[in-house]
Amino acid sequence: MSRIVLHEVRKRFGVNRDATKAINGLDLTIEPGEFFVLLGPSGCGKTTTLRCIAGLERPDSGRIEIAGSTVADPTRKVFIPPHKRDLGMVFQSYALWPHMSVLDNVAYPVKARRSRHGASAVAMDALRLVGLDEQAKRYPAALSGGQQQRVALARALAASPELLLFDEPLSNLDATLRLHLRQQLRDLHQQLGFTAVYVTHDQAEALALADRVAIMREGRLEQVGSPQQLYNHPASAFVASFVGFENILQAIRVSDSAPVGDYDLGLGAPLRLANDLASHTRHASVALRAEHMRLAPMPSAQALSVSVDHLTGVQFQGGHHVAVAHIGAVKVHIQIAPQHIAQVTQRVSDGAGLYLHIDLNKAVLLPPTTPPVGACKPSVIRPAPALIAPACSA
């Protein structure tokens, strides 16, 4: 299994003032046997990072090591071409040869790297792993998109590389098939134990597959950690919004007490928050998930309760409804259970009062903004400061 190390890797496209810094001083270590996911929006540098590891792009500076060997170091004029790196790659576009049968597509890297003797048997074993051995004689054009992606996966597995790279391989598939192949890919990784680096912009996919996730932003690492750490303890507003926190509210400290302080979120009642993060600044942010808030006809002593002015944007989402609750100038996305939607909409149409109950134990206190790009480093994972209790009832 391969250990991957990237040290101060930089890559830009273009020259002078028009240059785009796709990777901007990236430091990263991926452990042997780890399923590591690079997650981020379009243009954050995740695919360029993957292509530099594969040898499809040359970094401008820095060093890349695979299994203890340097494969790219421009300073020392070292560059190992892709076919000499012990890796396989699965592309978003499948990249199958249309004039070759499924068996020949899968056998090709075996013949190229080892020998022609026994290549077909090895290819058949790889096709069995992905459940396509009965399609061996067919051509790619006769297969569905999901089957073609499994052929691409079998081809990457056939040569038994220590490292497998995945460039958004499931993004072209429908939702049901994505779920099926996601589980199959996870099962294959646990069975075979290869090191995997997987690129995606889908946070649900990243959390389901990864041992660790790196969220990238503008060519740098914003935060690295386990799926559970990123989901429950995002280190910045950018990470919180990317892992599904629908609400990020600005908070202003209105008292200077320590170790707690009172903060105004614009909800009509100050909150008493743990103060170790915000003690250095008057401003902070609070991240809240829509699922951790509910509407009720009466205030509650067990949660922060604030009066709702009105609701807009009610949408059916299958297992629940989502809506926007207006509280003064603040808009908060909330979930409404199906059994409560009729009662809620009736009270809204009648002009009756509604209260929003917020589970403060599920909220996460964050810095108000992320650090400047030039100073951004991977965040150390630690539990977010707990939200204590409301300073007064609504």
Side-chain angles (χ1 to χ4, degrees):
M1 293 181 288
S2 298
R3 186 173 190 257
I4 305 167
V5 178
L6 285 77
H7 177 67
E8 284 294 316
V9 173
R10 285 178 164 81
K11 176 66 180 178
R12 68 178 185 174
F13 298 99
V15 295
N16 302 327
R17 293 182 179 180
D18 295 328
T20 299
K21 294 180 180 178
I23 311 175
N24 196 7
L26 190 63
D27 286 304
L28 181 63
T29 299
I30 299 169
E31 299 299 335
E34 188 172 32
F35 201 116
F36 194 91
V37 174
L38 296 171
L39 174 67
S42 297
C44 71
K46 57 187 186 296
T47 294
T48 303
T49 300
L50 191 79
R51 290 174 64 85
C52 284
I53 294 172
L56 300 176
E57 298 285 354
R58 293 175 180 250
D60 298 325
S61 62
R63 185 179 73 253
I64 300 176
E65 297 178 6
I66 298 178
S69 299
T70 299
V71 296
D73 186 345
T75 302
R76 295 166 48 202
K77 301 186 184 306
V78 173
F79 182 79
I80 306 300
H83 66 278
K84 293 186 177 179
R85 305 184 187 192
D86 186 18
L87 57 84
M89 189 161 182
V90 182
F91 296 90
Q92 179 180 357
S93 60
Y94 316 146
L96 302 178
W97 288 285
H99 65 289
M100 291 185 181
S101 69
V102 166
L103 182 64
D104 288 339
N105 264 280
V106 176
Y108 183 85
V110 183
K111 296 175 181 177
R113 293 187 186 184
R114 301 196 215 164
S115 82
R116 294 180 175 273
H117 180 69
S120 294
V122 172
M124 283 299 295
D125 288 340
L127 285 170
R128 288 190 190 96
L129 282 174
V130 299
L132 286 179
D133 49 306
E134 293 183 358
Q135 310 295 330
K137 294 182 179 181
R138 302 182 75 180
Y139 285 82
L143 303 180
S144 68
Q147 289 174 323
Q148 289 184 54
Q149 192 58 280
R150 282 190 284 163
V151 173
L153 176 57
R155 182 178 59 188
L157 292 169
S160 301
E162 294 192 353
L163 171 61
L164 277 178
L165 308 179
F166 300 88
D167 185 12
E168 302 197 55
L170 307 183
S171 61
N172 291 336
L173 307 177
D174 63 73
T176 301
L177 190 54
R178 278 203 307 272
L179 290 175
H180 173 73
L181 289 184
R182 181 197 301 173
Q183 185 59 55
Q184 185 176 33
L185 183 56
R186 188 62 183 167
D187 291 344
L188 284 171
H189 176 258
Q190 293 176 347
Q191 177 183 346
L192 303 176
F194 51 82
T195 305
V197 184
Y198 190 102
V199 162
T200 184
H201 61 270
D202 185 331
Q203 61 101 357
E205 192 169 282
L207 299 181
L209 285 170
D211 296 317
R212 279 195 304 152
V213 179
I215 294 184
M216 294 189 66
R217 182 186 188 188
E218 297 179 350
R220 291 182 178 271
L221 298 179
E222 187 81 1
Q223 186 174 354
V224 181
S226 70
Q228 295 81 6
Q229 288 170 325
L230 268 65
Y231 188 85
N232 294 314
H233 306 300
S236 69
F238 177 84
V239 174
S241 63
F242 215 83
V243 295
F245 282 85
E246 297 90 344
N247 305 292
I248 300 176
L249 306 181
Q250 298 303 308
I252 301 176
R253 189 173 69 235
V254 294
S255 74
D256 295 326
S257 58
V260 296
D262 294 334
Y263 290 83
D264 179 12
L265 275 70
L267 298 177
L271 306 182
R272 182 154 292 173
L273 312 181
N275 203 28
D276 65 330
L277 172 64
S279 60
H280 303 295
T281 177
R282 185 167 174 261
H283 299 274
S285 297
V286 174
L288 294 161
R289 294 186 185 276
E291 65 200 68
H292 296 146
M293 292 177 282
R294 64 184 181 89
L295 292 171
M298 299 293 291
S300 170
Q302 282 72 47
L304 172 67
S305 297
V306 293
S307 179
V308 175
D309 296 330
H310 61 281
L311 296 178
T312 60
V314 178
Q315 296 180 9
F316 178 61
Q317 298 276 318
H320 60 269
H321 290 74
V322 295
V324 178
H326 295 253
I327 305 158
V330 178
K331 299 178 182 179
V332 180
H333 291 81
I334 61 172
Q335 283 190 14
I336 306 171
Q339 64 268 30
H340 297 148
I341 189 65
Q343 178 187 14
V344 166
T345 53
Q346 183 63 45
R347 290 185 67 88
V348 171
S349 62
D350 292 345
L354 276 174
Y355 290 86
L356 180 65
H357 296 177
I358 302 174
D359 186 350
L360 298 179
N361 293 321
K362 301 294 187 180
V364 178
L365 188 63
L366 301 168
T369 57
T370 53
V373 171
C376 181
K377 293 293 182 183
S379 302
V380 176
I381 301 295
R382 57 174 180 163
L387 287 160
I388 312 298
C392 59
S393 58

